[in-house]
Amino acid sequence: MRRRAIARLTAVLAALALLVPVHVADAAAAPVRYEAENATISQGVVESNHAGYSGSGFVNGTNATGSYVEWTVNAASAGSTTLAIRYANGTTTNRPMDVTVNGATVSAGRAFAGTGAWTTWATSSLTAALNAGANTVRLTATTANGGPNLDYLDVDAGGTPNPGTPVEANGQLKVCGTKLCNQHGNPIQLRGMSSHGLQWYYQCLNTGSLNALAQDWKADVLRISMYIQEDGYETNPRLFTDRVHNLIEQATSRGMYAIVDWHMLSPGDPNYNLSRAKTFFTEIAQRHNGKNNLLYEIANEPNGVSWAKIKSYAENLIPVIRQNDPDTPILVGTRAWSSLGVSDGATENEIVNSPVNASNIMYTFHFYAASHGSEYLSTLSRAADRLPIFVTEFGTQTSSGDGGNNFTRSQQYLDLMAAKKISWTNWNYSDDERSGAVFKEGTCPNGPWTGTAPLKPAGVWVRERTMTPDDFPAG
């Protein structure tokens, strides 16, 4: 009797369910696509002679300043959304465009770098605020070369709540297997910038520049690079420790993660500075152990020293940190300028076969794309499948941080790091005269900081890749 009653009740509920609309609140709606060939076009034509496009064709704009494509985009409600622009640029020259929404510039001189061929399509994404109802989104060429070929504009239709700042979205980080994971145990990738030495370019890290890093660049992480020698920490430990304290608080207030970088470089044996490191990290860990947005990088670029000595250094320092801070991930430098040994002819095998005896740690890898080619790229790819890796420093130029930019090789590295969720910080957020400093000389300390006008070519390139929307999975 009881069984039959339950069966009848189940049947009634099932029938009622057919009458009630089902809402899946947590499912993200697919983006709405606006094809370029259906947009308003000024100084351009619709073509279909390069494969790989969506819809019935793409827009080939006239090579002229001021040529544009404009879409009318409808939004159900006002709010922030993601605009994804699919394009191809078969030249080696950047073809920048201003992106405006309802007449207001949301990205000035946005870079559309070469994609390698006119049949190779890429996507450039940015965040913009839309009004409820109809909106105009216009892309306008800013140089005589015109813009790239434009395929479509995808507009996020909503369904995924704004996660807030990177720290609000991810909370306390931890190492899980070979990945950096968030508070929900999901692998994530952090992207951001490294400062230059605090003894030289502290003036580049002020309210305006850090606001720009967090809000305009939408960076997840700031690497605070405190040199030990070269007129750094050893000359005035109190001054430089206080500068690090300040920058930790600045990053925290903006919802960014902060890497505390013990920037030892010369001498290359980290044991030379072991006593200093114990003093410094004890104070840092004691003061900030209640924060959930830190990572400790305990040896920037060991060089001229064996892996055994680097490992010994780490195993002497890590317990000192853990006495005061049991939770913050620790990043360990690797042999030969943090190249996993490849710069000395070694491989990641020496670490795999003799890892540091500690938990919640990662190993660092550094590269400079104009100097470090396929051997380094292959090493990073292999190592990331065997070890937890964080790229705490890289540049698009030579290993001196200067010279010409190799954006093609750099993009290969970034594609690999995105695919394997390897976090990174780029060198460097200053106005140093070298090509690797993102700001033009004379920008610090007064700016301007936002947009592309104050940036060198490397700055334009890395800003665009830093501000691409994050994929931070929730629990």
Side-chain angles (χ1 to χ4, degrees):
M1 179 68 180
R2 178 180 174 84
R3 195 172 299 151
R4 288 198 297 273
I6 292 174
R8 286 196 298 271
L9 178 60
T10 301
V12 171
L13 291 174
L16 288 172
L18 296 175
L19 304 175
V20 179
V22 177
H23 300 279
V24 184
D26 293 333
V32 177
R33 179 157 298 174
Y34 297 86
E35 296 287 352
E37 62 268 25
N38 299 325
T40 299
I41 303 166
S42 175
Q43 301 184 77
V45 295
V46 175
E47 294 182 342
S48 57
N49 58 326
H50 297 305
Y53 59 82
S54 170
S56 60
F58 56 86
V59 172
N60 179 358
T62 302
N63 291 350
T65 302
S67 58
Y68 69 81
V69 174
E70 181 179 283
W71 293 269
T72 299
V73 171
N74 292 303
S77 59
S80 181
T81 192
T82 298
L83 307 179
I85 305 157
R86 191 168 190 253
Y87 73 97
N89 178 1
T91 75
T92 58
T93 302
N94 174 35
R95 295 193 166 196
M97 305 189 85
D98 286 343
V99 182
T100 61
V101 175
N102 300 323
T105 301
V106 296
S107 182
R110 186 169 188 82
F112 290 90
T115 58
W118 291 111
T119 54
T120 301
W121 299 88
T123 301
S124 177
S125 298
L126 68 155
T127 302
L130 299 183
N131 299 325
N135 298 263
T136 58
V137 178
R138 178 182 290 189
L139 272 66
T140 306
T142 60
T143 71
N145 290 322
N149 288 349
L150 296 173
D151 187 18
Y152 60 70
L153 171 71
D154 268 358
V155 180
D156 188 352
T160 303
N162 184 346
T165 68
V167 176
E168 288 172 340
N170 295 295
Q172 178 65 58
L173 304 180
K174 58 186 175 183
V175 180
C176 52
T178 59
K179 305 298 182 186
L180 182 64
C181 293
N182 64 12
Q183 62 189 341
H184 307 295
N186 295 317
I188 63 167
Q189 182 195 41
L190 300 180
R191 295 166 298 178
M193 292 299 300
S194 175
S195 76
H196 206 318
L198 303 188
Q199 75 275 42
W200 298 314
Y201 292 97
Y202 189 60
Q203 69 275 16
C204 292
L205 303 169
N206 55 45
T207 298
S209 69
L210 294 176
N211 283 343
L213 185 63
Q215 298 161 16
D216 181 51
W217 289 55
K218 302 188 186 306
D220 306 316
V221 57
L222 168 68
R223 182 186 188 227
I224 303 166
S225 292
M226 183 190 70
Y227 280 70
I228 317 311
Q229 278 71 48
E230 300 182 62
D231 297 323
Y233 174 86
E234 70 174 2
T235 66
N236 193 334
R238 183 72 269 144
L239 171 69
F240 286 101
T241 303
D242 286 343
R243 286 183 175 182
V244 173
H245 284 315
N246 174 56
L247 290 170
I248 289 173
E249 298 298 346
Q250 294 292 333
T252 302
S253 69
R254 291 166 174 81
M256 291 190 292
Y257 289 91
I259 299 172
V260 179
D261 167 29
W262 183 252
H263 204 86
M264 51 73 51
L265 183 61
S266 178
D269 184 349
N271 292 284
Y272 179 85
N273 288 307
L274 178 58
S275 177
R276 295 184 182 96
K278 287 181 177 180
T279 299
F280 171 79
F281 279 107
T282 294
E283 180 173 334
I284 295 295
Q286 286 177 342
R287 183 175 300 190
H288 302 287
N289 61 14
K291 291 183 171 65
N292 63 352
N293 66 316
L294 298 186
L295 301 101
Y296 300 138
E297 184 176 1
I298 60 174
N300 166 56
E301 287 189 349
N303 58 89
V305 65
S306 68
W307 168 244
K309 288 189 175 181
I310 301 168
K311 176 184 174 183
S312 174
Y313 164 82
E315 291 178 347
N316 275 282
L317 179 57
I318 290 173
V320 174
I321 297 173
R322 290 289 180 236
Q323 289 176 4
N324 298 287
D325 186 344
D327 299 321
T328 292
I330 293 175
L331 312 178
V332 180
T334 60
R335 186 153 73 92
W337 296 275
S338 284
S339 70
L340 293 165
V342 67
S343 289
D344 279 349
T347 71
E348 74 280 3
N349 287 335
E350 64 183 11
I351 303 173
V352 173
N353 295 332
S354 183
V356 172
N357 183 22
S359 60
N360 203 24
I361 67 167
M362 307 186 81
Y363 301 93
T364 65
F365 183 80
H366 294 176
F367 69 86
Y368 283 82
S371 295
H372 302 142
S374 58
E375 182 182 7
Y376 288 75
L377 186 64
S378 297
T379 298
L380 175 59
S381 180
R382 286 195 319 271
D385 293 335
R386 309 173 75 190
L387 298 165
I389 302 292
F390 197 125
V391 174
T392 54
E393 185 177 316
F394 83 90
T396 57
Q397 37 316 113
T398 66
S399 55
S400 67
D402 204 359
N405 295 291
N406 188 334
F407 292 132
T408 300
R409 177 69 73 185
S410 299
Q411 190 61 53
Q412 291 174 349
Y413 275 104
L414 260 65
D415 290 344
L416 171 68
M417 293 190 289
K420 300 200 174 190
K421 288 193 178 294
I422 303 170
S423 297
W424 53 259
T425 53
N426 175 262
W427 183 267
N428 68 81
Y429 200 66
S430 82
D431 64 350
D432 177 16
E433 73 277 6
R434 297 174 181 85
S435 59
V438 297
F439 292 110
K440 296 173 183 175
E441 287 185 76
T443 300
C444 304
N446 297 317
W449 305 111
T450 59
T452 58
L455 301 177
K456 296 174 186 171
V460 173
W461 187 90
V462 75
R463 172 180 174 270
E464 180 176 344
R465 285 147 182 82
T466 303
M467 68 191 301
T468 302
D470 291 306
D471 176 21
F472 289 151

